[in-house]
Amino acid sequence: MTLPITFSPEIAAARANGTPIVALESTIITHGMPFPQNVETAMRVEAEIRAHGATPATIAVMDHRILVGLTESDLMALGQASSVAKLSRADLAACLASGDTGATTVAATMICARLAGIETFATGGIGGVHRGADTSFDISADLSELAETAVTVVAAGAKAILDLPKTLEYLETRGVPVIAFGQDDFPAFWSCSSGLRAPLRMDSAAQIAAAHLMRTRLGLPGGQLVANPIPVEAEIPRDEITPHIEAALSEAKAKGIAAKSVTPFLLQRIYELTAGRSLLANIALVLSNARLASAISHEIALQRSKT
Ligand code: PSU
Ligand code: MN
């Protein structure tokens, strides 16, 4: 059985040449940022990865196929489309079977990346355990995917709209290494620190790649979460963003926003409440994650070639 995967010409060439590939998700484009900044950012992130000697593979679902690598016109179309499905592990196969268009979340992008033989993935923030999860049961499927799929994901931690202590507990229970890059604290997306210590700390791409390869040698199935703090000049300090987060959360509660709509609703409201500053921070951190992921993808290739 052949997989329903279509590689773009750029990705096909990278596979043939052995150039390291970095996966990118598409939900950040369709549900995470407004047009036109979503498409501009997607293109800048891709350019950043190319500038660091790796090849970007943005992943989405269209016409019964997983597209690995999107063209500029694919990105433009996706960035303006209004009714694109947000795909996680639960709906990936159904969307492929129906032929609908879907954007992949962190969880679905990890699944597609693994199928395509890609081991490094850059994004902004991962989903997590939502506040109030003790009654809502809202825990992102991104977390269990990290426990099952062997892809190293570079994110700026998790957003403080989530319950960060519970998110870290859940990841620990599922055996996911959570690695803060270059600092002791787990970062909180728009802010460099969440005030919580990360379980692991690494200071180089080489260390992260070595740990990734060791997990494979040990036969451990899951991936790694690399939590790369937002560049300090772009951060929104915790005490500044907290009131906006609280306001967005109580609006979501009052409006009865639930399930898949929660994360996009909160991101949009915080964008409005910070007069666009949250988006500038988001762009800066994704670019920074793209650079680190590129370095990790090179290190994985280099270290594997030596064994
Ligand atoms: N965080 C962001 N921007 C995003 C997302 C998270 O800053 O666009 C998206 C990612 O695709 C992530 C998904 O995988 O939201 C998580 O959604 P949920 O909480 O419904 O699992
Ligand atoms: Mn959810």
Side-chain angles (χ1 to χ4, degrees), residues 228-280:
N228 183 30
I230 183 171
V232 65
E233 65 279 7
E235 84 155 340
I236 309 179
R238 244 186 321 151
D239 47 338
E240 239 177 274
I241 194 84
T242 301
H244 300 308
I245 292 172
E246 302 292 345
L249 283 166
S250 41
E251 275 182 52
K253 204 173 174 191
K255 291 198 158 111
I257 309 287
K260 276 173 184 283
S261 310
V262 174
T263 300
F265 175 86
L266 293 173
L267 290 178
Q268 174 61 24
R269 278 307 284 142
I270 292 167
Y271 168 67
E272 290 158 8
L273 291 165
T274 60
R277 209 165 138 218
S278 67
L279 180 59
L280 295 179

Side-chain angles (χ1 to χ4, degrees), residues 128 130 138-141 259-260 262-263:
H130 280 262
D138 190 348
I139 301 176
S140 175
K260 276 173 184 283
V262 174
T263 300

Side-chain angles (χ1 to χ4, degrees), residues 25 27-29 31-33 86 88 104-107 123-128 130 138-142 159 162 189 259-260 263-264 267 282:
E25 60 155 311
T27 296
I28 191 172
I29 302 172
H31 295 72
M33 290 185 186
K86 175 180 163 188
S88 192
T104 52
T105 59
V106 168
T123 187
I126 59 155
H130 280 262
D138 190 348
I139 301 176
S140 175
D142 291 352
K159 276 165 273 103
L162 301 167
F189 198 73
K260 276 173 184 283
T263 300
L267 290 178
N282 198 344

Side-chain angles (χ1 to χ4, degrees), residues 147-150 175 211-223:
E148 281 164 37
T149 301
H212 173 101
L213 291 168
M214 184 57 75
R215 285 182 65 86
T216 310
R217 266 172 80 185
L218 298 179
L220 294 172

